[in-house]
């Protein structure tokens, strides 16, 4: 296990994995790839590195309780399709393909070397090689046209990518927040409790302009701050601009708002489920996607937190055409377990 922790940290770097840890005949399988030799196994790694600029994150590792002499890992791999980055269509088509899942390594007890490596993906049901479902999932991501601006955004790690949502762990970040006009005279504490809610895609132009004035200089330091993404709004009637990955201790050093309607707050991060959708994120769209996310989480036995409050994230400026827009609905999760 300690060897694999170290070796997998070099999976896609110049050092690479240690080939002496593998038998010459290695049975490698995932839903869309199969090799039966060490040379084929190494070729697959080299191909992914050249074509997709992959990032591999090892979350955990344990002894497999079902298979003798086996170790299973849980991981996330994100792959940016390298050729797209040099095309004039980069603004609207620069896809990142993400899989999460498990790898089971089976060792030959006589030699201590790996002779079998089997991958499973969380996003599909049919895990057998040449899975039509697996190929469809791959090409769906490859041909995705959701665009994400190259602006500062909250940092997160994808822990699990299911077929219709992601589970993410967010790092803490700071926001400038104000009330949306759609909240009207409703009591904020009642809204936060989830007993009454507003649609976060509702009227919010006044709140947006209030926050925009703050970051563009309507603050006590007259400082102009860089644009960030996304713009968050939630069913508790709050709109938030991301200020950055600033810590709570650094909050007093940030430019203080001139308007009493703007507050600086630290969002503690945590584990959230997110569902991505395109278009202009109208009220009906946001509500529909939120219900779809809730249904998917119930299907998978995942418990939500936060009293039912959900958040809408909008990433693009108004000039971005509808087919290329990225929006998300997010729900906090309670008691998420990595292996379940």
């Amino acid at each position: 296990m300690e060897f694999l922790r170290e070796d997998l940290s070099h999976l896609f770097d110049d050092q690479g994995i240690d080939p002496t840890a593998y038998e010459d005949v290695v049975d490698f399988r995932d839903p869309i790839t199969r090799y039966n030799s060490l040379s084929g196994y190494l070729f697959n790694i080299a191909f992914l590195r050249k074509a997709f600029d992959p990032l591999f994150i090892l979350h955990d590792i344990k002894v497999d309780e079902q298979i003798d002499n086996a170790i299973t890992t849980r991981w996330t791999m994100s792959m940016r399709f390298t050729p797209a980055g040099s095309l004039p269509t980069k603004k609207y088509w620069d896809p990142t393909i993400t899989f999460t899942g498990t790898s089971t390594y089976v060792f030959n007890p006589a030699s201590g070397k790996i002779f079998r490596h089997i991958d499973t993906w969380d996003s599909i049901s049919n895990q057998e090689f040449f899975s039509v479902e697996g190929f469809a999932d791959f090409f769906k991501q490859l041909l995705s046209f959701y665009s994400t601006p190259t602006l500062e955004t909250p940092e997160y790690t994808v822990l699990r990518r299911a077929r219709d949502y992601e589970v993410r762990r967010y790092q803490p970040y700071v926001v400038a927040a104000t009330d949306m006009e759609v909240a009207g005279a409703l009591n904020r504490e009642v809204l936060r409790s989830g007993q009454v809610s507003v649609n976060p895609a509702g009227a919010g132009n006044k709140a947006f302009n209030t926050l925009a004035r703050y970051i563009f200089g309507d603050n006590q330091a007259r400082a102009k701050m860089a644009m960030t993404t996304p713009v968050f709004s939630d069913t508790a009637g709050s709109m938030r601009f991301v200020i950055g990955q600033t810590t709570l201790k650094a909050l007093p050093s940030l430019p203080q708002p001139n308007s009493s309607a703007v507050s600086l707050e630290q969002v503690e991060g945590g584990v959230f489920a997110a569902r991505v959708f395109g278009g202009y994120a109208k009220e009906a769209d946001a509500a529909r996607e939120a219900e779809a996310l809730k249904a998917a989480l119930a299907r998978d036995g995942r418990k939500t937190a936060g009293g039912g409050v959900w958040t809408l994230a909008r990433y693009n400026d108004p000039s971005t055409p509808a087919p290329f827009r990225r929006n998300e609905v997010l729900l906090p999760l309670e008691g998420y377990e990595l292996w379940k």
Side-chain angles (χ1 to χ4, degrees):
M1 289 170 65
E2 290 306 313
F3 164 77
L4 275 178
R5 285 186 189 278
E6 168 61 22
D7 201 47
L8 290 173
S9 69
H10 300 294
L11 184 59
F12 294 114
D13 68 14
D14 291 337
Q15 177 177 319
I17 62 169
D18 181 359
T20 65
Y22 295 78
E23 299 279 15
D24 291 335
V25 177
V26 179
D27 176 19
F28 170 77
R29 281 176 283 162
D30 69 21
I32 64 173
T33 313
R34 183 169 190 172
Y35 293 97
N36 59 11
S37 68
L38 177 58
S39 59
Y41 183 68
L42 295 175
F43 169 81
N44 185 54
I45 294 172
F47 169 76
L48 291 175
R49 185 182 177 194
K50 185 174 181 63
F52 287 101
D53 188 22
L55 172 66
F56 180 84
I57 300 174
L58 177 65
H59 298 301
D60 200 7
I61 184 170
K62 67 179 183 179
V63 173
D64 195 291
E65 297 178 354
Q66 306 297 322
I67 303 173
D68 291 339
N69 305 308
I71 288 172
T72 298
T73 62
R74 174 154 279 284
W75 45 263
T76 295
M77 186 167 73
S78 296
M79 306 182 293
R80 187 179 63 83
F81 185 48
T82 309
S86 59
L87 297 176
T89 55
K90 177 183 178 180
K91 180 178 179 180
Y92 296 124
W93 184 61
D94 190 13
T96 296
I97 300 160
T98 300
F99 293 107
T100 64
T102 65
S103 296
T104 299
Y105 298 85
V106 186
F107 292 78
N108 181 343
S111 66
K113 294 185 176 183
I114 298 166
F115 73 92
R116 182 172 295 139
H117 173 172
I118 308 298
D119 282 357
T120 66
W121 298 350
D122 297 323
S123 54
I124 62 174
S125 300
N126 181 10
Q127 304 291 341
E128 297 302 318
F129 169 64
F130 210 83
S131 165
V132 173
E133 187 184 7
F135 274 99
D137 187 34
F138 173 83
F139 282 106
K140 177 184 177 182
Q141 295 187 76
L142 182 64
L143 299 176
S144 168
F145 290 95
Y146 298 133
S147 63
T148 305
T150 54
L151 302 173
E152 184 175 4
T153 191
E155 294 181 9
Y156 66 82
T157 300
V158 177
L159 301 178
R160 181 180 293 263
R161 179 180 165 271
R163 69 174 183 264
D164 44 11
Y165 67 91
E166 292 180 348
V167 176
R168 303 171 178 171
R169 178 181 287 119
Y170 278 86
Q171 298 301 313
Y173 57 96
V174 169
V175 298
T178 194
D179 289 342
M180 297 171 62
E181 52 267 37
V182 71
L186 293 173
N187 182 277
R188 171 48 60 87
E189 294 305 316
V190 173
L191 286 167
R192 285 177 173 169
S193 73
Q195 299 173 37
V196 179
S197 64
V198 300
N199 190 307
N205 288 339
K206 181 179 178 181
F208 183 93
N209 291 334
T210 298
L211 295 176
R213 285 195 296 271
Y214 165 71
I215 68 169
F216 290 139
D218 184 16
N219 53 67
Q220 294 179 17
R222 297 183 179 179
K224 293 184 178 181
M225 290 168 270
M227 287 292 293
T228 59
T229 193
V231 175
F232 291 111
S233 52
D234 62 33
T235 54
S238 172
M239 180 175 286
R240 303 182 297 279
F241 279 17
V242 178
I243 301 301
Q245 304 296 137
T246 311
T247 64
L248 185 61
K249 292 180 179 179
L251 271 178
S253 66
L254 293 174
Q256 296 303 301
N258 289 328
S259 171
S260 60
V262 178
S263 60
L264 300 180
E265 304 170 4
Q266 176 165 292
V267 178
E268 295 302 327
V271 178
F272 288 76
R275 179 179 170 91
V276 182
F277 66 103
Y280 283 104
K282 297 179 180 179
E283 290 186 64
D285 302 325
R288 181 185 64 249
E289 296 297 329
E291 290 305 311
L293 177 58
K294 292 175 184 178
L297 294 173
R299 176 198 68 211
D300 294 344
R302 307 212 181 279
K303 187 176 181 181
T304 60
V309 173
W310 56 271
T311 298
L312 172 66
R314 288 174 278 196
Y315 283 80
N316 307 98
D317 63 63
S319 67
T320 303
F324 305 108
R325 300 183 71 82
R326 176 184 172 187
N327 313 293
E328 296 172 346
V329 288
L330 299 102
L331 274 164
L333 295 183
E334 181 178 308
Y336 177 73
E337 295 185 35
L338 188 63
W339 287 95
K340 294 183 178 180

